[in-house]
Amino acid sequence: MTLIVSATSAIVLSLAIALVALVPNSNVIAAMFPPWWDAATIFEAAAAAGDPVRVGRLPWVVIVRGDPAQLAKRLHAAGAFLVMDSRFFAGCGFQ
């Protein structure tokens, strides 16, 4: 029984962290674009949504700066399939 409670708690905590990460309210957001897009298309899409700051080690991840009220929505409209607060990418060379 203890194992089930521990596993359930770990899952709930992981989901809570993921939900916080997926609801960015920062002016700097990490955006993941389709990996089959070429670099120029990804950069153009990111630039249409905000100001691209840098590209990640994975070329389809771009850190973008912009208006926190609209940035995530604009990135999704530009083709990003996932947007997250860039602080969650600190271990990947982003600041």
Side-chain angles (χ1 to χ4, degrees), residues 49-67:
D51 179 30
V53 176
R54 68 178 66 151
V55 176
R57 290 185 186 151
L58 298 172
W60 58 83
V61 178
V62 181
I63 302 297
V64 182
R65 181 175 315 200
D67 175 18

Side-chain angles (χ1 to χ4, degrees), residues 5-27:
V5 171
S6 296
T8 303
S9 297
I11 291 170
V12 169
L13 180 60
S14 297
L15 288 173
I17 290 170
L19 287 175
V20 169
L22 293 174
V23 183
N25 60 359
S26 174
N27 67 328

